[in-house]
Amino acid sequence: MSDQLPTGPEPIPAPPPAKHGWLNFAIDFGPLLVFFLTYKFSSGGTGAFAATTGAIKGTVAFMAAIIVAMIVSKWKLGRISPMLWMSSILVLGFGALTIWFHDERFIVMKPTIIYAAFAVLLLGGWLLKKPMLKYLLQSALEGVTERGWLLLSRNWGLFFAALGVANHVMYELIQAKQMSFDLWLTIKVWGVTALSFLFTLTQVPVMLKHGLAVTEGADKQA
């Protein structure tokens, strides 16, 4: 007869931690939406500086929102991604320039620099066989191979390069008085966001082809 006491039923494994997909989206998109709404509700009125005043107020709100996003990311996700760090540094830096010089052109310039930096980083890593997107996102896309990450890095690098060129063209059009700041902001908030979402969908087959693990629960949610 064994002296070992019965231990009862086997413990039920804890479910895997949630991916916080909605929270990631809110952290990435929230500050930009705060800027858009603040600008729209504070740029009314007449006078040559009405739009600029709204842009200044929106910039202040944007800077505050990006700091909140970093705090929430660290608190809820336990980390601040390199992409969020880079975006935050540029938002705070160009935001300070916008407020100091009262010039909304700094707001329009910032995305071009962000897109160009990401394009150089991702495409440079791809040429050197380093999947930089994997390190930037600190993502847990289970099963994606190194080749898959390299292809994703190349594709997103080209996408960021195209966005950078497009944003610079719009900057030049604004400088030439052929495009308004309002139209640029609408395209930046809604157009680029929708385009990024659609581009992400085009990358799903690449991820699936190169080992992305899809669980039964994820299938049901999809």
Side-chain angles (χ1 to χ4, degrees):
M1 183 175 178
S2 173
D3 294 332
Q4 183 178 359
L5 296 176
T7 58
E10 291 294 324
I12 300 174
K19 298 296 184 184
H20 299 290
W22 66 270
L23 184 57
N24 285 320
F25 179 80
I27 289 171
D28 292 336
F29 184 70
L32 185 59
L33 183 60
V34 167
F35 173 77
F36 178 80
L37 293 176
T38 304
Y39 172 78
K40 285 298 183 181
F41 284 109
S42 61
S43 62
T46 59
F49 297 100
T52 300
T53 301
I56 297 297
K57 293 178 180 178
T59 299
V60 173
F62 196 8
M63 294 169 71
I66 202 77
I67 293 173
V68 171
M70 295 178 72
I71 294 172
V72 171
S73 181
K74 182 64 177 177
W75 173 39
K76 299 297 290 185
L77 304 179
R79 60 181 174 82
I80 299 175
S81 71
M83 294 186 75
L84 181 57
W85 269 115
M86 185 180 295
S87 297
S88 300
I89 291 170
L90 289 175
V91 165
L92 296 175
F94 278 84
L97 291 174
T98 302
I99 295 169
W100 181 262
F101 291 105
H102 281 67
D103 192 340
E104 62 194 32
R105 288 179 299 176
F106 290 109
I107 302 172
V108 185
M109 290 166 56
K110 175 182 65 66
T112 299
I113 296 175
I114 291 178
Y115 298 146
F118 286 150
V120 169
L121 187 63
L122 294 175
L123 293 176
W126 171 66
L127 290 173
L128 296 174
K129 306 301 182 184
K130 299 290 185 181
M132 298 305 297
L133 186 66
K134 179 179 180 181
Y135 309 124
L136 278 176
L137 294 180
Q138 295 183 343
S139 179
L141 295 177
E142 296 179 6
V144 176
T145 63
E146 287 294 298
R147 173 164 173 74
W149 277 114
L150 278 173
L151 291 175
L152 290 173
S153 296
R154 180 201 63 186
N155 296 347
W156 276 101
L158 293 173
F159 180 69
F160 280 125
L163 288 181
V165 171
N167 194 77
H168 182 70
V169 169
M170 289 189 287
Y171 172 81
E172 293 295 337
L173 290 174
I174 292 174
Q175 290 291 91
K177 308 296 184 184
Q178 295 179 4
M179 184 177 185
S180 68
F181 179 80
D182 288 60
L183 178 57
W184 171 84
L185 183 58
T186 300
I187 293 173
K188 177 70 177 74
V189 174
W190 305 114
V192 174
T193 300
L195 192 61
S196 299
F197 177 75
L198 292 175
F199 184 77
T200 300
L201 292 181
T202 68
Q203 299 308 294
V204 172
V206 177
M207 292 185 284
L208 293 176
K209 182 178 179 180
H210 292 277
L212 177 66
V214 181
T215 63
E216 182 180 353
D219 289 338
K220 292 180 179 179
Q221 290 178 0

